[in-house]
């Protein structure tokens, strides 16, 4: 724990102020809360693909029984749609933080919802599985935008030189939880009992909630404020609209279920379409908002470039938990250096690489900045797209090697996740930071939700392809995605000067 001199305050004496690695003390609270929330989230996610495959036609014989027995296409679709909904719900989560509860209260409600969702997942049965999955998605969406916004609240303005570093430290908390989760929850769930693994995820979220409640005194007072509260008339209007849409949905799916026509696609297809249409509609609505200043309008035009680039990136990157994970489960050798390991452990590779490389990346950007040579945000995004494309070119090698049924070395998957991690470090923490900088004042918390909508759009495309019957594990499809990512990265780099001009005074 480092210390620094506190700023003069009329109400507090001047003295040494405790900091967290040179950052405001509240970052420690948010760091620990996010770490435990990510422990629960990534622990369940590490089990998700293999639980859905277990007992199905594409499953490995080494998996314990008791899963849902889906084929690979349906598994990929469910996994992708679940992730897309997590990030889609970050938008109403940000709206609730801005207009109804404020970020701090919204995070508390979100943590309770997530914990309940994992407890429901711990109950056996298909219906309880999808109900629990929906609750976890809802709670995660509520939490995501608001906890990131509270990190931004800890710093004085967008020009605070510690801001990017603060988000990088925060990002380390995410990855600490993500690293340990598959080792604990994945092992228990995969090797002993699926539902006990889901129950452990609920325990993790409970610890995160307790840490948050005990440490709220260190957060910025802005985190308790509702920036633009709803008027009484607006509340009544939103309640009326919500009730009407809820009734329409209940009647529609009730009729489909009672008539015997309901299938999983009745739920998945509308969700994938919404996952593409809603992000596009939100960006258009914000861009056309006449209350935005000319400078904010210009910055939004530049932000759209980042959004599209991020959507392409996440479309490929998130297949690390579905397409690549399924390949590791069914086509890779389950031993390395004589050690037999659960296949859910593959999901610990990315976070351990993040923890190893994130400090190096932060130091490298700062070193280049002091020399006046740091790449622009646009160039970093282009590099991220390039690396994620290269990871899928690399994926082609073990795909071809396993064509005759021979298990490939797990080291191929280590290489895939390593390359993707390098790309992630060029996109994710930078994207979080640039979103808080470029966000119009009117859409402070909501813009964090908009950033997460890029994940929604990318994962929804993956879900659409799986529902349409496209085999995402085929070498031709993997190669096509790799070409798409590299081409998108080249396009972003070629137009970097135009995008930087649209960013105005934001750097």
């Amino acid at each position: 724990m480092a210390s620094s001199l506190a700023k003069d305050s009329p109400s507090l004496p001047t003295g040494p102020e405790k900091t967290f690695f040179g950052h405001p003390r509240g970052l420690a609270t948010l760091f620990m809360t996010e770490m435990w929330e990510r422990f629960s989230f990534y622990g369940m996610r590490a089990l998700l693909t293999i639980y859905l495959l277990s007992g199905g036609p594409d499953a490995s014989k080494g998996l314990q029984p008791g899963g849902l027995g889906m084929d690979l296409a349906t598994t990929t679709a469910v996994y992708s749609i679940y992730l897309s909904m997590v990030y889609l719900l970050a938008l109403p989560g940000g709206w609730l933080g801005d207009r109804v509860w404020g970020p701090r209260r919204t995070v508390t409600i979100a943590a309770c919802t997530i914990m309940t969702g994992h407890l429901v997942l711990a109950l056996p049965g298909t219906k309880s599985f999808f109900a629990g999955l929906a609750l976890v998605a809802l709670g995660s969406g509520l939490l995501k935008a608001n906890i990131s916004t509270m990190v931004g609240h800890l710093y004085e303005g967008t020009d605070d030189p510690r801001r990017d570093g603060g988000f990088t430290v925060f990002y380390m908390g995410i990855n600490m939880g993500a690293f340990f989760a598959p080792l604990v929850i994945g092992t228990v769930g995969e090797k002993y009992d699926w539902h006990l693994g889901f129950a452990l995820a609920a325990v993790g979220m409970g610890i995160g909630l307790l840490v948050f409640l005990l440490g709220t005194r260190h957060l910025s007072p802005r985190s308790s404020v509702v920036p633009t509260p709803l008027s009484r008339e607006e509340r009544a209007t939103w309640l009326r609209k919500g009730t009407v849409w809820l009734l329409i949905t209940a009647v529609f799916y009730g009729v489909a279920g009672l008539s015997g026509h309901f299938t999983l696609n009745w739920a998945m297809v509308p969700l994938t379409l919404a996952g593409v249409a809603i992000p596009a509609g939100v960006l258009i609505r914000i861009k056309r908002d006449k209350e935005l200043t000319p400078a904010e309008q210009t910055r939004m035009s530049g932000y759209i470039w980042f959004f599209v680039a991020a959507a392409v990136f996440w479309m490929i990157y998130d297949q690390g938990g579905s397409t690549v994970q399924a390949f590791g489960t069914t086509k890779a050798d389950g031993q390395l250096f004589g050690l037999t390991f659960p296949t859910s452990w593959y999901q610990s590779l990315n976070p351990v690489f993040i923890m190893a490389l994130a400090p190096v990346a932060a130091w490298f950007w700062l070193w280049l900045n002091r020399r006046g040579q740091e790449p622009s945000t646009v160039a970093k995004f282009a590099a991220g797209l390039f690396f994620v494309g290269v990871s899928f070119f690399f994926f082609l090698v073990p795909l071809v090697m396993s064509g005759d049924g021979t298990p490939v070395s797990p080291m191929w998957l280590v290489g895939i996740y390593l390359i993707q991690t390098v790309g992630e470090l060029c996109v994710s923490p930078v994207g979080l930071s640039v979103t808080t900088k470029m966000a119009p004042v009117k859409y402070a918390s909501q813009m964090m939700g908009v950033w997460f909508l890029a994940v929604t759009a990318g994962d929804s495309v993956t879900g659409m392809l799986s529902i349409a019957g496209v085999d995402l594990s085929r070498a031709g499809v993997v190669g096509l995605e790799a070409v798409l990512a590299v081409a998108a990265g080249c396009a972003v780099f070629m137009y970097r000067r135009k995008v930087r001009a649209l960013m105005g005074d934001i750097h």
Side-chain angles (χ1 to χ4, degrees):
M1 192 72 68
S3 64
S4 62
L5 293 180
K7 294 182 179 179
D8 291 335
S9 170
S11 57
L12 295 173
T14 300
E17 177 189 356
K18 290 185 177 180
T19 64
F20 182 65
F21 295 110
H23 294 271
R25 179 66 179 81
L27 185 61
T29 297
L30 299 177
F31 174 96
M32 294 296 295
T33 302
E34 184 74 349
M35 184 188 74
W36 282 108
E37 189 273 331
R38 293 291 88 181
F39 176 85
S40 71
F41 179 85
Y42 282 100
M44 187 276 285
R45 201 182 84 159
L47 290 177
L48 186 53
T49 293
I50 52 181
Y51 174 68
L52 293 173
L53 284 173
S54 177
D58 301 316
S60 168
K61 293 181 180 179
L63 291 177
Q64 64 158 311
L68 296 189
M70 296 182 178
D71 59 32
L72 181 56
T74 306
T75 294
T76 302
V78 171
Y79 178 91
S80 300
I81 292 169
Y82 162 68
L83 280 189
S84 72
M85 290 301 103
V86 166
Y87 292 95
L88 177 63
L89 290 166
L91 186 66
W95 182 85
L96 287 168
D98 274 348
R99 307 298 308 274
V100 182
W101 294 321
R104 190 178 300 186
R105 185 178 298 178
T106 305
V107 167
T108 304
I109 294 170
C112 293
T113 304
I114 294 169
M115 186 168 60
T116 303
H118 287 303
L119 290 173
V120 174
L121 281 169
L123 302 175
T126 303
K127 292 181 180 178
S128 61
F129 170 79
F130 284 107
L133 209 60
L135 285 171
V136 174
L138 175 61
S140 298
L142 289 174
L143 185 140
K144 274 186 168 298
N146 289 283
I147 198 165
S148 296
T149 298
M150 286 194 287
V151 174
H153 286 167
L154 297 173
Y155 301 95
E156 297 294 333
T158 59
D159 294 328
D160 191 322
R162 301 175 299 170
R163 192 182 185 91
D164 281 7
F167 275 100
T168 299
V169 172
F170 178 69
Y171 208 60
M172 289 287 287
I174 293 174
N175 287 282
M176 284 183 66
F179 168 69
F180 287 110
L183 303 181
V184 179
I185 296 173
T187 301
V188 171
E190 186 178 347
K191 295 299 181 183
Y192 298 98
D193 184 271
W194 299 112
H195 302 288
L196 180 58
F198 295 139
L200 285 177
V203 172
M205 187 66 263
I207 296 173
L209 175 60
L210 182 63
V211 168
F212 181 76
L213 294 176
L214 293 176
T216 51
R217 66 184 184 276
H218 299 299
L219 303 178
S220 168
R222 293 170 59 195
S223 298
S224 298
V225 175
V226 182
T228 53
L230 291 173
S231 65
R232 181 176 299 179
E233 294 76 12
E234 287 176 318
R235 284 178 179 269
T237 299
W238 278 104
L239 183 60
R240 183 173 61 254
K241 288 180 178 179
T243 303
V244 169
W245 280 107
L246 183 62
L247 287 174
I248 291 173
T249 303
V251 169
F252 178 80
Y253 283 104
V255 170
L258 292 173
S259 65
H261 290 90
F262 180 82
T263 65
L264 194 56
N265 279 353
W266 279 67
M268 294 198 300
V269 171
L271 289 175
T272 56
L273 293 174
V276 174
I278 291 176
V282 168
L283 284 174
I284 292 171
R285 180 177 63 84
I286 295 177
K287 182 68 177 65
R288 291 182 175 179
D289 191 335
K290 295 181 180 179
E291 295 184 12
L292 268 59
T293 65
E296 289 176 332
Q297 287 278 3
T298 301
R299 286 199 293 268
M300 279 303 303
S301 296
Y303 187 76
I304 290 173
W305 281 81
F306 292 114
F307 184 92
V308 174
V312 174
F313 176 88
W314 295 116
M315 179 185 72
I316 298 175
Y317 176 90
D318 275 344
Q319 289 183 57
S322 55
T323 306
V324 180
Q325 173 66 52
F327 177 84
T329 301
T330 59
K331 302 292 181 65
D333 193 343
Q335 290 187 340
L336 184 64
F337 306 126
L339 172 68
T340 301
F341 59 92
T343 60
S344 56
W345 284 16
Y346 285 123
Q347 297 307 305
S348 286
L349 289 172
N350 169 258
V352 77
F353 289 146
I354 286 285
M355 288 188 289
L357 298 178
V360 177
W363 170 84
F364 184 61
W365 299 140
L366 184 60
W367 180 75
L368 287 176
N369 179 272
R370 289 171 177 167
R371 296 168 61 91
Q373 297 176 349
E374 182 180 5
S376 67
T377 301
V378 186
K380 292 177 184 177
F381 263 69
L385 284 166
F386 174 80
F387 280 115
V388 82
V390 169
S391 75
F392 263 36
F393 279 126
F394 190 81
F395 187 19
L396 287 173
V397 180
L399 274 175
V400 173
M401 291 173 62
S402 64
D404 61 356
T406 303
V408 300
S409 169
M411 292 304 295
W412 287 105
L413 282 90
V414 173
I416 294 169
Y417 288 118
L418 175 60
I419 298 169
Q420 288 189 343
T421 299
V422 175
E424 182 185 2
L425 287 171
C426 295
V427 171
S428 194
V430 177
L432 284 169
S433 182
V434 80
T435 297
T436 62
K437 292 178 181 179
M438 297 179 71
V441 175
K442 181 179 178 180
Y443 298 99
S445 292
Q446 292 179 62
M447 278 301 292
M448 292 308 304
V450 172
W451 163 250
F452 294 127
L453 284 182
V455 187
T456 295
D459 284 332
S460 293
V461 172
T462 302
M464 283 182 181
L465 293 172
S466 297
I467 293 170
V470 177
D471 185 356
L472 295 174
S473 63
R474 283 180 52 204
V477 177
V478 170
L480 185 61
E481 291 184 86
V483 170
L484 172 64
V486 172
C490 291
V492 169
F493 186 76
M494 287 173 60
Y495 287 92
R496 65 191 183 281
R497 290 186 177 86
K498 178 179 179 179
V499 179
R500 290 179 65 183
L502 292 171
M503 292 174 67
D505 59 352
I506 300 296
H507 300 287

